[in-house]
Amino acid sequence: MTKETTLKRCERLILLLGDQLSLNISSLRNADKERDVILMAEVADEASYVPHHKKKIAFLFSAMRHHAKLLRQEGWAVRYVQLDDDDNAGSLPNQLTHELEQFGCAKVVMTEPGEFRLKQTLLSWSKSKDIALDMREDERFICTHAEFQAWALGRKQLRMEFFYREMRRKTGLLMKGDAPEGGKWNYDAENRKPAKGDLFMPHPRHTMRDAITEDVLSLVSTRFSNNFGALEPFWFGVTRTDALLALEHFVQSALPLFGDYQDAMLTDEPFLYHSVLALYLNAGLLEPLEICRRVERAFYDGDAPLNAVEGYIRQIIGWREYVRGIYWLKMPGYTEANFFDAQRPLPAFYWTAQTDMACMAAAISQTRDHAYAHHIQRLMVTGNFAMLAGVDPHEVHEWYLAVYADAYEWVEAPNVIGMSQFADGGLLASKPYAASGNYINKMSDHCQGCRYDVKQKTGADACPFNPLYWDFLIRNEAKLRGNPRLGHAYRTWDRMSPDKQHAYRSSASAVLDGLSS
Ligand code: FAD
Ligand code: DLZ
Ligand code: SF4
C-alpha cells in the first residue's frame, strides 16, 4: 500500500509542479514525511494553456510519474493525480481545493511557479479561499530575484555580458582568483564555424522506455492526438538518472566541439554538438551548477578546450540566469510587448513545415519531429523570418512556448519577445537579430537544396530573406535608423539606386502577399 492511502490527515499539502522535479527543492525544506502530503497532478489546464507538442507533454507526465515513484521510495506520502483519474479536477487550484478537503490540511506549501500566469492564479486562489499558502523562492537558480534586481537597478542597459561576469565571480567557475581562465571572459569569436556532415557526428543519448513511459505515450496519443508534433520515436530521459547519463554522454561525445560548431546548421543533423539538456534542466532533473562543474572538470582534465567549456558555461550561468532575471523584472506585460506594432498572423507553415524555404522547412520539421531545434535555428531561421515578415510577436511567443520540450515562459519569453523579435524595443538585444539569406548560407547547408537562390536579391526566385531584410529595415526606419549598430545597413540602403530600392520593396511585397494568401 502506498503511503498516500495510509495518511488520512495531513499537516501541510506540498504542491509540486511538473517542472519542479528535484528532491532538493525549497518546498520540501523542513517538510515532515510523517505529517505532510505531496500533491502532484496532471491537469488539463496546464496541458492546454498553449497547444504543447505531444513529446513535451509525454516527457513531463512520464518524468512526473517517475518522480512521484522516487519520492515514495524516499518515504514521502505522495498524492499523484493522473490526467484520466475520475477525481481529476482539471486545474491546479481546483485540485488543491479537492485535496485539502480530502486530507483535511490547513496549509499549502510550494516553490514559486516559473510562470507569472500560474503564480498569479495560485495566489488569487489562496486569497479567495482564505487558505494559507507558503510560496517559497525557487532556489534552483544561481541568481536570486533580489540579486538580479540589485544588479539591474540604475543601469540604462542590461547587457548579458556584464551580468555573466558577475555570475562567474559568484560561482568561481573558470576563475583564476579574480581573473578569468585564459585571460578572456568570452571566447565567442572562436565559436562561429560552419559544420560538415560527419560519420562520427555524436547524437544525444537515447533512453529505453519503461512501462510508465509506455502508459503515458498511449495516454498522450489518445488525449492529445490533434496536438502538433510527432510522438514517436520517443527517447527522452524521464528520471534524474537518465538525465545524468545524458549529461555524461554529452561531455564525452560532443562537448569538445560544442564551441566550434555552436552556430552551425545542417539539414540532416538537428542536434550537431548541442547538449539537448535544457528539457532536463528546466524540469528540475539536473541542476545548473552540477552541469557547469562537470563541464569545467572536462577542461581541467584536458578533455575539452576552453572555447567550448567557456561557451557552454556562459549559456547556463549567463544567458539562462539573465533571461530569467529579465522575465521576473518585466512581468506582467512583457509578453504583450510589440515595439514594431507587428500584426501579421503566424503563417500556417509554422505548424506544417510546408514551405519551399529549405531552412525554414528543416527547422520546423525538426521541431515537429523532436520538439527540439537548436539556438541558431530558433533565433536566425524561424525567429528571424517572423520578425522580418512582421508577425505579431505574441503569436510567435505562443508558438515557441508550445513546440519545444524545454519551453516554459520564464525562459522562452525573453528569448522570443526580447532576443528574437526585438519586441521589447532593445531591452535585451542592442540591435534586432535581422539577417538576409547570406547569414544562413554561411552557417548551413540549407541553401544548396533550396528552391530559392540565396545569391539573388530580388525577383520570384530570390531567397525571401533578402528582400524581407531590407523591407523590414525600411518599414521600421523611424524606430531603427538611430540605432548606431544599424548605421552601416542604412548607409548601404541610402547608396542604392531608387530602382534597386523599389525592386527590393516590391519583391518583399510579393513574399508578404504570398504569406497572407
Ligand atoms: P545547448 O546549445 O547545448 O546549450 C546549453 C544550455 O544552455 C541549454 O541547455 C540551456 O539550458 C542554456 N541556454 C543556452 N542558450 C540559452 C538562452 N538563450 N536562454 C536560456 N538558456 C540558454 N531555452 C529554453 O530552455 N527554453 C525555451 O523555451 C527557449 N526558447 C528559445 C526561443 C528562442 C527564440 C531562442 C533564440 C532561444 C530559446 N532558448 C530556450 C534558448 C536555447 O535555444 C535553448 O536553451 C537550447 O536550444 C536548448 O538546447 P540544448 O539543451 O541543446 O542547448
Ligand atoms: C508544462 C506542464 C504541463 C504540460 N502539464 C503540467 C501538469 O499537468 N501539471 C503540472 O503540475 N505542471 C504541468 N506543466 C508545468 C507547469 O505548467 C509549470 O509548472 C508552469 O509552466 C510553471 O513553470
Ligand atoms: Fe533559406 Fe534563402 Fe537559403 Fe532558401 S535560399 S535555404 S530560403 S536562406
Side-chain angles (χ1 to χ4, degrees):
M1 193 190 297
T2 64
K3 208 158 176 187
E4 170 198 323
T5 49
T6 54
L7 206 88
K8 286 292 180 220
R9 285 194 68 78
C10 80
E11 188 84 19
R12 296 176 300 186
L13 196 58
I14 302 173
L15 176 63
L16 215 57
L17 299 173
D19 56 353
Q20 298 182 341
L21 308 181
S22 322
L23 291 177
N24 186 19
I25 190 148
S26 58
S27 53
L28 293 183
R29 205 186 332 110
N30 312 327
D32 185 337
K33 287 182 177 168
E34 300 309 318
R35 289 145 63 105
D36 299 333
V37 173
I38 296 175
L39 170 64
M40 298 177 73
E42 299 165 7
V43 290
D45 265 19
E46 292 307 307
S48 62
Y49 67 91
V50 287
H52 303 286
H53 193 296
K54 292 190 193 85
K55 275 198 171 88
K56 179 182 181 186
I57 302 176
F59 160 66
L60 217 61
F61 283 8
S62 180
M64 285 171 71
R65 291 183 189 192
H66 281 91
H67 192 66
K69 189 174 160 195
L70 175 70
L71 287 165
R72 285 182 181 136
Q73 283 163 359
E74 296 272 320
W76 292 98
V78 182
R79 163 80 171 126
Y80 192 94
V81 187
Q82 296 193 352
L83 192 74
D84 46 6
D85 283 350
D86 289 342
D87 53 358
N88 189 304
S91 72
L92 290 167
N94 289 349
Q95 200 68 49
L96 279 168
T97 307
H98 178 75
E99 303 306 332
L100 287 173
E101 277 165 18
Q102 296 294 308
F103 287 104
C105 303
K107 188 173 180 184
V108 174
V109 178
M110 71 179 298
T111 293
E112 173 187 61
E115 297 192 352
F116 187 86
R117 155 195 75 80
L118 188 55
K119 181 173 178 181
Q120 290 312 109
T121 302
L122 290 168
L123 288 174
S124 313
W125 165 82
S126 82
K127 206 167 165 203
S128 69
K129 298 268 177 205
D130 197 20
I131 291 178
L133 171 61
D134 176 2
M135 193 180 274
R136 300 173 178 176
E137 179 143 7
D138 193 338
E139 293 163 351
R140 298 172 300 164
F141 291 88
I142 293 154
C143 185
T144 64
H145 293 319
E147 280 170 333
F148 194 86
Q149 278 159 14
W151 176 78
L153 195 73
R155 278 173 201 261
K156 269 208 199 113
Q157 294 194 316
L158 302 179
R159 293 289 169 249
M160 196 289 295
E161 186 60 30
F162 299 112
F163 170 79
Y164 164 57
R165 292 177 193 180
E166 296 290 314
M167 294 299 103
R168 287 274 293 277
R169 290 191 184 97
K170 180 170 179 181
T171 58
L173 283 160
L174 293 178
M175 293 297 290
K176 284 252 181 258
D178 287 339
E181 182 64 63
K184 283 199 295 183
W185 290 101
N186 184 319
Y187 291 83
D188 224 13
E190 296 169 33
N191 290 357
R192 292 178 189 139
K193 299 193 179 86
K196 281 210 173 65
D198 177 348
L199 274 181
F200 303 103
M201 183 79 68
H203 293 106
R205 184 174 187 276
H206 285 202
T207 301
M208 295 285 288
R209 294 128 66 131
D210 63 5
I212 295 178
T213 299
E214 292 296 352
D215 277 355
V216 168
L217 291 173
S218 90
L219 172 81
V220 173
S221 74
T222 317
R223 287 287 296 268
F224 301 95
S225 58
N226 292 327
N227 281 38
F228 173 74
L231 189 54
E232 299 284 357
F234 186 88
W235 46 260
F236 289 151
V238 288
T239 64
R240 176 163 163 76
T241 307
D242 298 338
L244 284 167
L245 288 169
L247 166 61
E248 204 49 41
H249 177 81
F250 163 68
V251 170
Q252 287 178 21
S253 67
L255 175 65
L257 291 177
F258 170 83
D260 286 3
Y261 301 120
Q262 198 180 346
D263 290 1
M265 293 174 280
L266 290 178
T267 306
D268 296 326
E269 296 291 347
F271 309 107
L272 285 149
Y273 298 90
H274 291 272
S275 65
V276 196
L277 292 178
L279 78 166
Y280 307 130
L281 177 57
N282 295 346
L285 298 177
L286 293 174
E287 291 184 9
L289 262 186
E290 77 182 331
I291 298 181
C292 292
R293 298 248 180 262
R294 176 64 191 94
V295 166
E296 182 191 42
R297 184 152 59 82
F299 169 68
Y300 288 115
D301 286 352
D303 294 335
L306 188 53
N307 69 310
V309 169
E310 184 282 317
Y312 194 85
I313 288 175
R314 174 160 27 89
Q315 305 311 309
I316 295 195
I317 67 168
W319 281 111
R320 185 172 184 268
E321 295 286 329
Y322 168 78
V323 297
R324 176 178 183 257
I326 296 277
Y327 178 76
W328 285 106
L329 199 65
K330 294 295 164 186
M331 284 299 281
Y334 193 72
T335 52
E336 311 306 321
N338 191 349
F339 180 64
F340 297 125
D341 195 23
Q343 303 292 341
R344 183 177 300 283
L346 189 76
F349 60 70
Y350 275 78
W351 299 107
T352 63
Q354 303 274 317
T355 163
D356 286 338
M357 290 180 280
C359 54
M360 292 288 283
I364 297 166
S365 58
Q366 288 166 13
T367 300
R368 177 197 63 211
D369 294 346
H370 305 293
Y372 181 84
H374 70 67
H375 186 74
I376 291 300
Q377 294 174 299
R378 299 187 203 197
L379 185 64
M380 300 310 293
V381 180
T382 43
N384 182 22
F385 186 85
M387 180 176 68
L388 297 185
V391 178
D392 178 346
H394 196 77
E395 291 204 15
V396 183
H397 150 67
E398 293 205 321
W399 182 79
Y400 278 94
L401 189 54
V403 302
Y404 292 112
D406 54 40
Y408 302 90
E409 196 176 87
W410 65 265
V411 52
E412 171 276 334
N415 272 300
V416 173
I417 298 283
M419 201 187 310
S420 99
Q421 301 303 296
F422 205 74
D424 64 5
L427 177 78
L428 209 137
S430 54
K431 76 174 178 70
Y433 279 93
S436 67
N438 190 34
Y439 174 85
I440 296 173
N441 191 32
K442 206 169 67 190
M443 297 312 300
S444 79
D445 64 356
H446 296 316
C447 301
Q448 296 153 26
C450 186
R451 168 247 177 278
Y452 297 106
D453 181 353
V454 73
K455 302 282 179 212
Q456 277 199 40
K457 307 291 181 203
T458 56
D461 293 330
C463 164
F465 284 84
N466 293 341
L468 283 182
Y469 172 77
W470 289 112
D471 195 61
F472 163 77
L473 286 184
I474 298 312
R475 251 187 289 132
N476 297 299
E477 189 173 1
K479 288 174 176 155
L480 293 178
R481 195 183 261 274
N483 184 317
R485 297 197 61 200
L486 292 173
H488 177 71
Y490 281 103
R491 282 193 295 279
T492 305
W493 174 261
D494 293 342
R495 282 196 301 272
M496 283 180 205
S497 68
D499 282 356
K500 198 167 178 188
Q501 291 180 342
H502 181 262
Y504 270 125
R505 304 266 351 232
S506 64
S507 289
S509 288
V511 174
L512 296 174
D513 289 349
L515 296 179
S516 311
S517 64

